[in-house]
Amino acid sequence: MKIVVTGAAGFIGSNLVKGLNARGIDDIIAVDDLTQGDKFRNLADLRIADYMDAGDFYDRFADGAFGHVEAVFHEGACSDTMELDGKYMMTNNYTLSCDLFRACQNQNTRLLYASSAATYGGSDTFSESPEFEKPLNVYGYSKLLFDQHMRRELGMRFENAQTQVAGFRYFNVYGPREQHKGRMASVAFHQFNQFQADGKVKLFGDYGGYGPGGQMRDFVFIDDVVAVNLWFFDNPEKSGIFNLGTGRAQPFNDVAIAVVNTLRQSQNAAPLSLEDAVRGGMIDYIGFPEALVGKYQSYTQADLGALRAAGCQHAFADVQSGVTAYMQWLSIATN
């Protein structure tokens, strides 16, 4: 069984390759752009059949150069929510995805692709329906436009899909293999480095009607993202757009205290309450940046109704267990 993973050297893509390897699947074509050369580390311990530069892959795939491909996990995209070059964003996230969809349809290849919770933007309801889709930036719009294109091609719930097409609206994903993402890495990753360097972590102060560190997101551990992708891979009759979060909104304060206490535990120090950590100077609230005003989601929580109705009953990690596991992994990986 031949599989393609685009964005294979990236965060989610490399974890999907790892998950496929764990099942004994290694006939994988890894597609990426390694201009940022240190991303190779995400593939170095994985088994793949071939690597191809993204600039060469899409036309060759459309020409049928690889024989029958069972499925494409399409994770390759520009995911920088602060990128202002709309032409670049639309070419990478929309046009390329439309071309890939057509090629998959022509070859009876299943397409499992990355959408984003950024499609909801300014909404206060996070359900896979057009009235709740209000992107705040061109990244969110590029992802929404492809979802809309799929609805036009396949029906609102992809009910006319002859070959599986499933889009996943990722919420705030965190976990191993995101170290190359720079400013777009998770808050947990940045706080790990902050605590190691300065003995404290940083969070935004008051914003959007929420107190310091009180803005709430649906934080989802990467292992859960992989598990849901692979559940759909195992169930090729399931198509549609699906939220991929935990269904639980938790404040950034929960992430911060999980980081602090896990790293303190590694130093044989006792766990602290949030209040004690703030009083002790281990959580530092900073002013909200002007560049994000009006473009920032202060609250997200995935509605898992469609996912559960499809039959996926995966149990998701909460922030405390997921962040604890991640901090332990980072502590080993950076030593």
Side-chain angles (χ1 to χ4, degrees):
M1 172 185 309
K2 188 177 295 179
I3 306 294
V4 168
V5 180
T6 72
F11 173 33
I12 296 175
S14 61
N15 277 284
L16 280 169
V17 175
K18 179 174 178 282
L20 290 164
N21 283 176
R23 293 176 162 214
I25 299 172
D26 59 10
D27 191 0
I28 300 168
I29 300 172
V31 179
D32 212 308
D33 177 348
L34 282 181
T35 299
Q36 183 184 343
D38 64 347
K39 290 199 301 182
F40 87 90
R41 300 178 192 282
N42 279 347
L43 290 174
D45 62 336
L46 304 178
R47 303 188 312 277
I48 60 174
D50 201 0
Y51 171 86
M52 181 157 291
D53 185 82
D56 300 324
F57 167 75
Y58 292 95
D59 286 342
R60 292 196 62 195
F61 177 68
D63 290 339
F66 306 105
H68 179 64
V69 174
E70 175 64 25
V72 174
F73 291 90
H74 182 41
E75 312 302 317
C78 175
S79 59
D80 188 342
T81 58
M82 296 181 71
E83 174 61 59
L84 299 178
D85 186 339
K87 181 175 181 179
Y88 170 78
M89 188 72 76
M90 297 305 291
T91 298
N92 278 272
N93 293 3
Y94 176 67
T95 305
L96 201 64
S97 298
C98 290
D99 292 344
L100 179 61
F101 165 71
R102 283 191 290 272
C104 285
Q105 291 289 290
N106 290 339
Q107 300 179 54
N108 293 317
T109 295
R110 296 192 273 153
L111 177 62
L112 299 95
Y113 73 89
S115 182
S116 173
T119 55
Y120 297 116
S123 181
D124 58 5
T125 302
F126 304 89
S127 182
E128 306 91 331
S129 189
E131 64 267 31
F132 306 124
E133 296 163 354
K134 304 173 183 178
L136 293 172
N137 50 52
V138 71
Y139 166 73
Y141 178 67
S142 71
K143 289 294 189 177
L144 175 59
L145 195 61
F146 184 65
D147 285 348
Q148 291 174 335
H149 183 66
M150 292 298 91
R151 287 165 171 162
R152 289 181 67 87
E153 292 283 332
L154 303 172
M156 280 299 295
R157 302 183 187 281
F158 296 10
E159 62 272 13
N160 300 322
Q162 299 301 306
T163 304
Q164 183 182 38
V165 179
F168 304 110
R169 289 186 169 172
Y170 298 141
F171 280 67
N172 278 64
V173 188
Y174 64 93
R177 301 177 190 264
E178 62 168 325
Q179 70 285 338
H180 62 283
K181 293 185 66 176
R183 67 183 181 184
M184 296 310 298
S186 71
V187 66
F189 176 80
H190 289 300
Q191 289 180 344
F192 172 84
N193 291 315
Q194 291 163 3
F195 193 84
Q196 297 289 68
D198 304 319
K200 64 180 180 180
V201 303
K202 296 179 180 179
L203 284 178
F204 291 148
D206 301 69
Y207 178 74
Y210 293 84
Q215 297 87 5
M216 302 178 75
R217 294 283 185 87
D218 192 327
F219 299 99
V220 58
F221 191 40
I222 185 61
D223 289 2
D224 294 324
V225 168
V226 171
V228 172
N229 270 268
L230 293 181
W231 185 89
F232 277 86
F233 181 67
D234 291 339
N235 291 272
E237 74 284 2
K238 304 295 186 182
S239 291
I241 298 170
F242 302 94
N243 286 335
L244 213 171
T246 66
R248 271 188 308 268
Q250 293 188 247
F252 281 89
N253 280 324
D254 284 4
V255 178
I257 197 62
V259 170
V260 168
N261 279 334
T262 304
L263 297 180
R264 279 174 56 82
Q265 184 180 36
S266 70
Q267 302 166 353
N268 297 314
L272 298 173
S273 68
L274 175 66
E275 294 75 15
D276 287 341
V278 173
R279 274 195 297 270
M282 295 178 196
I283 297 178
D284 181 20
Y285 297 113
I286 62 174
F288 193 84
E290 285 293 326
L292 291 178
V293 172
K295 302 176 183 177
Y296 185 81
Q297 291 173 293
S298 293
Y299 176 90
T300 65
Q301 179 172 282
D303 179 341
L304 298 186
L307 186 73
R308 299 312 191 197
C312 181
Q313 300 301 321
H314 179 75
F316 292 88
D318 62 10
V319 161
Q320 183 176 2
S321 57
V323 170
T324 297
Y326 185 26
M327 293 302 103
Q328 293 167 346
W329 183 90
L330 279 172
S331 296
I332 294 169
T334 56
N335 283 337

